[in-house]
Amino acid sequence: MFVVDEVQSGMGRTGKWWACEHAGIGNRNILCSAKGIASGMPLGAIIARESVMRWKPGAHGTTFGGNPVCLAAALATMDLIESEYKDNASRMGDYLFGRTADWTKNFKNHRRRPGAWIDGWHRKSSVISAPRKKLRICANAIVDLAFHKGLLVLGAVKTPFACHRRS
């Protein structure tokens, strides 16, 4: 049984529908998706082979099982992902990866990249061994600086769908 969790990384964020596609993982039994599936509306999905989904009625319940409004949001979201967001995530991934190519001089080289999913930078300095509170203060300062430069980011990750070169 092979289960793939695409709640955080799926729905085109990496330039492909599912991040596992970058690793050539096609033989999965179950794929879990949520968050981006309906643009923030409460919806989750289990995508599985028929042999896995043979349940008797009442054997499965769900918190985010869907309703007409959320399902309409999911259909609209999937249309946008297919028509523009997936390709934009890939283009912006190429752009961001190229713009940060020389950052390894100042940051430890943990640049990983499935599509536009770029992560793993941390500064080469004593701040790495700093207490968590100091690291949070540093992260907050970076978010604040970005805001004052006209770029909205989170302390965790910024979805590449929303990136544009002018940012």
Side-chain angles (χ1 to χ4, degrees):
M1 179 68 62
F2 189 62
V3 180
V4 178
D5 178 353
E6 292 275 0
V7 170
Q8 190 78 0
S9 56
M11 299 305 296
R13 288 180 177 96
T14 66
K16 295 187 183 234
W17 273 105
W18 311 113
C20 65
E21 293 178 72
H22 294 282
I25 300 171
N27 194 19
R28 53 198 178 255
N29 299 95
I30 299 173
L31 186 141
C32 302
S33 181
K35 292 189 178 184
I37 198 168
S39 295
M41 296 293 290
L43 186 66
I46 299 172
I47 302 163
R49 299 177 182 279
E50 182 184 359
S51 60
V52 176
M53 298 299 286
R54 289 189 187 145
W55 299 344
K56 294 178 182 173
H60 173 67
T62 177
T63 302
F64 297 124
N67 60 62
V69 174
C70 293
L71 294 175
L75 290 173
T77 298
M78 288 187 266
D79 285 344
L80 286 168
I81 290 169
E82 185 63 37
S83 67
E84 59 183 290
Y85 289 171
K86 197 168 45 129
D87 290 339
N88 186 60
S90 186
R91 280 191 312 275
M92 291 299 101
D94 291 343
Y95 175 74
L96 292 170
F97 205 71
R99 290 288 304 224
T100 60
D102 67 340
W103 285 19
T104 55
K105 292 181 231 165
N106 298 317
F107 292 83
K108 288 191 177 181
N109 188 7
H110 286 112
R111 295 172 74 220
R112 294 175 291 176
R113 182 176 183 232
W117 199 265
I118 303 170
D119 67 351
W121 296 311
H122 54 276
R123 187 101 173 119
K124 287 182 182 175
S125 73
S126 60
V127 75
I128 298 308
S129 60
R132 184 173 293 279
K133 184 176 179 182
K134 286 187 179 179
L135 290 174
R136 173 53 39 207
I137 290 168
C138 180
N140 289 343
I142 291 169
V143 170
D144 190 50
L145 178 63
F147 174 78
H148 289 293
K149 297 270 186 181
L151 178 63
L152 297 176
V153 297
L154 297 174
V157 78
K158 181 174 182 346
T159 303
F161 291 160
C163 290
H164 298 282
R165 286 185 182 196
R166 64 183 176 274
S167 299

